[in-house]
Amino acid sequence: MKFFLFFFLLFNTSIFADCKKVDKSRFTIMENKIFDKKTKLIWMRCSIGSKWKKSIGCVHAPNTISFLEAKALEKKLKNGWRIPTLKELRTIFVSNCKSSAINTTLFPDLKHMANFAPYWTSTPVKELPRLIYYIDFINKTIDAHSKGFTMFVRLVKNKNE
């Protein structure tokens, strides 16, 4: 019995990644933004609707908006900010985290969400282009939905923009 308990605790503590520790060889924190050295992408730390406050982090719960609203917002943005592709958003998806699939030190506004955290990508489903892929960082799923459904948006831009 003791061996089983030891094995169970060892296995369960090592299977989950430390999703609050920042890999400084990959990520650079720049106040309200994150630079990913591996992908050369810059991410907003707070989602749309949540605001960065120095020494506190993201304040206010993020807003959910439809894909159509997100695209309209994207057109108004300056300096290259946009909705990430599925491939880009997957680069910050960490499947072996215990409670969510994202590093909450890098992206702290996820703590404002309880049951779900679906984020739009800009990638349509090839076979069904009226559906757009999204990633849910709490339920750890990748799926697709219609453009009128409301979800969260995390903005990204290329380093050279």
Side-chain angles (χ1 to χ4, degrees), residues 46-63 108-109 111-112:
C46 301
S47 307
I48 297 294
S50 185
K51 302 280 186 209
W52 183 262
K53 191 167 185 180
K54 193 172 185 167
S55 303
I56 294 175
C58 298
V59 294
H60 308 296
N63 296 337
D109 61 354
K111 65 184 172 211
H112 295 294

Side-chain angles (χ1 to χ4, degrees), residues 114-158:
N115 302 317
F116 64 100
Y119 278 79
W120 284 117
T121 75
S122 61
T123 308
V125 176
K126 190 174 185 177
E127 300 79 19
L128 300 164
R130 292 175 20 187
L131 298 179
I132 306 296
Y133 283 108
Y134 70 89
I135 295 179
D136 189 320
F137 286 100
I138 289 182
N139 293 325
K140 301 178 184 179
T141 57
I142 297 173
D143 205 344
H145 216 296
S146 60
K147 298 174 184 179
F149 197 75
T150 61
M151 296 189 204
F152 301 104
V153 176
R154 182 168 312 284
L155 298 173
V156 69
K157 71 177 183 173
N158 297 328

Side-chain angles (χ1 to χ4, degrees), residues 2 5 8 19 27 29-30 52 59 78 81 83 89 104 107 111 123 144 157:
K2 288 180 185 178
L5 184 59
F8 177 78
C19 293
F27 296 104
I29 297 174
M30 307 177 304
W52 183 262
V59 294
K78 296 180 176 151
W81 292 107
I83 304 165
L89 197 58
T104 54
F107 304 102
K111 65 184 172 211
T123 308
K157 71 177 183 173

Side-chain angles (χ1 to χ4, degrees), residues 13-115:
T13 55
S14 64
I15 195 170
F16 296 113
D18 180 2
C19 293
K20 293 183 181 182
K21 186 177 178 186
V22 175
D23 177 358
K24 292 182 180 179
S25 67
R26 178 175 172 187
F27 296 104
T28 302
I29 297 174
M30 307 177 304
E31 194 70 34
N32 65 339
K33 297 180 273 301
I34 298 293
F35 174 59
D36 185 339
K37 296 171 194 166
K38 181 178 177 184
T39 63
K40 307 291 189 243
L41 293 171
I42 299 174
W43 295 91
M44 280 289 187
R45 293 184 75 186
C46 301
S47 307
I48 297 294
S50 185
K51 302 280 186 209
W52 183 262
K53 191 167 185 180
K54 193 172 185 167
S55 303
I56 294 175
C58 298
V59 294
H60 308 296
N63 296 337
T64 56
I65 58 177
S66 73
F67 182 75
L68 301 171
E69 291 170 315
K71 289 303 281 182
L73 176 66
E74 184 181 59
K75 287 180 182 177
K76 294 178 187 175
L77 297 173
K78 296 180 176 151
N79 300 323
W81 292 107
R82 59 184 171 73
I83 304 165
T85 65
L86 177 61
K87 182 179 177 181
E88 291 168 337
L89 197 58
R90 285 185 72 170
T91 66
I92 60 170
F93 184 89
V94 187
S95 62
N96 58 341
C97 292
K98 190 171 185 175
S99 60
S100 63
I102 197 167
N103 184 311
T104 54
T105 300
L106 296 174
F107 304 102
D109 61 354
L110 201 75
K111 65 184 172 211
H112 295 294
M113 302 170 216
N115 302 317

